[in-house]
Amino acid sequence: DTEVTQTPKHLVMGMTNKKSLKCEQHMGHRAMYWYKQKAKKPPELMFVYSYEKLSINESVPSRFSPECPNSSLLNLHLHALQPEDSALYLCASSPSARQGFYGYTFGSGTRLTVV
Amino acid sequence: AQTVTQSQPEMSVQEAETVTLSCTYDTSESDYYLFWYKQPPSRQMILVIRQEAYKQQNATENRFSVNFQKAAKSFSLKISDSQLGDAAMYFCAYRSTGNQFYFGTGTSLTVIP
């Protein structure tokens, strides 16, 4: 299995809703990432998990809450989002967060719309 | 922080022709890695090609090759025999040991039949 699987592919939520995005990989990668991408813009790093521990939080608002229950699974819990949070949310993984040689394997993303 | 610049927001190429996408970066590090990623409308970021900075030989992957000029901090991508499936957003990215990716702003490539 050489894929990163993200669910759901599309999500529409109200500003008072609570929802979660899910990301799964079975490549044995020990680093996992959440990125936010606006249309025609590069991905922006949100969080980095290395060996299931949060190692980087790029000053993301607390309405985004990441969770890494095990080495294969990464969640992003969403609560009280704003319309400007509407974006494509990409998950990625790599064998290691510390070795620059490795590129990332990306998922296909979740298209989130906040209404 | 490192910066990655892609000066061509949009490019177009005739099918079967060759196109070159430019990328420059700024860094004070000597050991790093450079990548080109492709993002088609399907949204998934796909690794196209990778270059290790300590290697002088330019990387090649089938129809894709790079021109890596370390002193000039330039890393361009050449696509030969362009195909309709090459149409996508292309991102240049920089990564050093123990660090995250820095992405360029992207170049949108259109392939004209």
Side-chain angles (χ1 to χ4, degrees), chain B residues 36-107:
Chain B
W36 278 98
Y37 275 88
K38 166 186 176 182
Q39 188 176 35
S42 65
R43 308 178 326 200
Q44 186 172 16
M45 297 272 283
I46 301 165
L47 178 63
V48 175
I49 199 164
R50 165 175 43 209
Q51 175 78 43
E52 295 143 275
Y54 63 87
K55 288 189 175 179
Q56 291 189 332
Q57 186 174 5
N58 289 326
T60 298
E61 289 286 344
N62 300 315
R63 298 182 294 108
F64 298 88
S65 61
V66 298
N67 183 5
F68 173 49
Q69 302 288 330
K70 189 172 184 179
K73 297 180 183 174
S74 170
F75 182 60
S76 61
L77 174 70
K78 185 171 83 171
I79 306 174
S80 304
D81 185 25
S82 296
Q83 301 175 359
L84 295 177
D86 295 333
M89 196 76 165
Y90 286 81
F91 291 100
C92 178
Y94 169 103
R95 189 181 192 197
S96 61
T97 301
N99 215 331
Q100 72 259 31
F101 271 75
Y102 294 92
F103 287 97
T105 50
T107 297

Side-chain angles (χ1 to χ4, degrees), chain A residues 9-10 33 37 41-42 58 96-104 106 108-109 111, chain B residues 33 35 37 39 43-45 50 52 89 91 95-98 100-101 103-105:
Chain A
K9 294 196 182 305
H10 301 273
Y33 312 82
Q37 187 180 25
K41 298 290 186 183
E58 291 287 338
S96 167
R98 300 290 300 173
Q99 293 175 291
F101 173 78
Y102 297 107
Y104 292 176
F106 283 88
S108 297
R111 176 78 64 192
Chain B
Y33 305 87
F35 303 81
Y37 275 88
Q39 188 176 35
R43 308 178 326 200
Q44 186 172 16
M45 297 272 283
R50 165 175 43 209
E52 295 143 275
M89 196 76 165
F91 291 100
R95 189 181 192 197
S96 61
T97 301
Q100 72 259 31
F101 271 75
F103 287 97
T105 50

